[in-house]
Amino acid sequence: MIVITGATGNIGRALVRRLHGHDRLAVVRRPADDLGSPYATADFDEPETIGGLLSPGDRLFLNSGIWPGFVDAHRAVIDLASAAGVAQIVAVSVRDAAVGARLGMGLHGQVDAHLRKSGVPYAILQPSGFMQTLPRDVRDGTMYGSYGSAGVNYIDTRDIADVAAALLTGPVGPDREYLLTGPPSLSHEEIAAEIGTALGREVRYVNLSVAEMTGHLERQGVPQPFAGELAELQAETGNGSWEPATTVVAELTGHAPRSWQDFLADHKDAFA
């Protein structure tokens, strides 16, 4: 059986659909009859509820949002999966995850390190930025950031789900990290232009210094020190290090990553 945590998120929902016809179990915190899949209620805040769903030979998709208990909960689920004898864990991490890195990259780095030492066969997915997060960044036709002018890679979360499905349904391969990228990288000014073209109205990107972006985020209700850390992270990912792309999506799924045009055609209403 394939056990899918985070089943009601962007990646999880796409993965549940992609695995139609396979023996799968969606893990949700509350009833989710709209998933169109068998599901069980469990919660990362109580890792044993997830561990109790696992059996020898299962494949586990490990994914959730970030919250204060993220690292401890994910480590606990990994340990429970190891004790249950699962055949593989496919985990969603993030590009440049590392112990000691900023924000979610550091948290994922800690979980990734634990998974590598667990003895459970694993595949760690390290995607670049999610296209699906961009609608919340565009307000009144403007997107603010401290990314600068370099290209930054984004990927459609449906492509992450397609990669996960390929790994979860194929033979268990050697332990590996997979850097997942989308279509050719664009600057945020170019991304804003693509969004504007799809919407039929002007959308502009305003680049701010780290200090200016920190203040902007604080005015949006983001507390310190997170506002400053996020602004710094934008500047770091916008220094060109997130511009290179890989061919992993095509190699594992047989199709190229979805383009900006594909994503925007399907998500125009999210930018309304």
Side-chain angles (χ1 to χ4, degrees):
M1 182 167 64
I2 301 171
V3 179
I4 306 162
T5 62
T8 57
N10 284 323
I11 301 172
R13 284 185 178 275
L15 179 58
V16 167
R17 291 192 295 269
R18 181 69 175 74
L19 292 176
H20 180 74
H22 293 271
D23 184 16
R24 70 201 195 282
L25 178 69
V27 180
V28 298
R29 288 186 295 171
R30 57 185 63 87
D33 296 330
D34 62 320
L35 275 176
S37 165
Y39 68 81
T41 56
D43 198 318
F44 274 102
D45 283 329
E46 299 177 10
E48 65 279 3
T49 62
I50 297 175
L53 302 174
L54 302 173
S55 301
D58 284 348
R59 315 279 279 270
L60 172 63
F61 180 68
L62 185 65
N63 183 43
S64 80
I66 299 291
W67 83 101
F70 173 87
V71 173
D72 288 342
H74 278 244
R75 284 172 170 168
V77 171
I78 290 167
D79 291 343
L80 291 164
S82 176
V86 302
Q88 181 192 40
I89 295 176
V90 175
V92 177
S93 182
V94 66
R95 187 172 187 164
D96 290 345
V99 175
R102 295 185 189 277
L103 301 176
M105 293 159 65
L107 300 179
H108 277 294
Q110 294 180 62
V111 174
D112 294 351
H114 191 76
L115 178 54
R116 293 185 189 104
K117 296 177 181 178
S118 69
V120 180
Y122 67 80
I124 298 174
L125 310 184
Q126 298 176 325
S128 53
F130 294 175
M131 290 179 176
Q132 276 78 359
T133 66
L134 289 170
R136 71 187 183 198
D137 294 333
V138 178
R139 300 187 181 188
D140 299 323
T142 305
M143 179 193 307
Y144 294 93
S146 53
Y147 295 99
S149 59
V152 176
N153 197 268
Y154 284 85
I155 184 171
D156 191 311
T157 55
R158 293 172 294 183
D159 288 324
I160 303 171
D162 288 351
V163 167
L167 292 168
L168 289 163
T169 58
V172 176
D175 296 342
R176 183 179 163 186
E177 290 85 35
Y178 296 87
L179 176 57
L180 306 183
T181 60
S185 302
L186 302 177
S187 70
H188 278 73
E189 184 175 356
E190 292 170 326
I191 292 170
E194 288 284 352
I195 295 170
T197 298
L199 300 182
R201 62 176 186 269
E202 182 183 14
V203 175
R204 65 191 185 107
Y205 171 68
V206 176
N207 195 65
L208 303 175
S209 68
V210 169
E212 291 169 333
M213 188 61 190
T214 299
H216 174 75
L217 290 168
E218 288 178 315
R219 290 188 292 275
Q220 299 299 317
V222 180
Q224 283 288 19
F226 303 111
E229 287 279 304
L230 182 55
E232 289 278 4
L233 182 59
Q234 289 184 4
E236 290 173 6
T237 57
N239 66 4
S241 62
W242 276 40
E243 188 164 7
T246 70
T247 58
V248 173
V249 170
E251 290 167 4
L252 290 179
T253 68
H255 67 74
R258 290 170 173 83
S259 68
W260 280 103
Q261 292 76 22
D262 293 335
F263 166 73
L264 290 168
D266 293 338
H267 293 81
K268 283 199 303 184
D269 292 345
F271 289 91

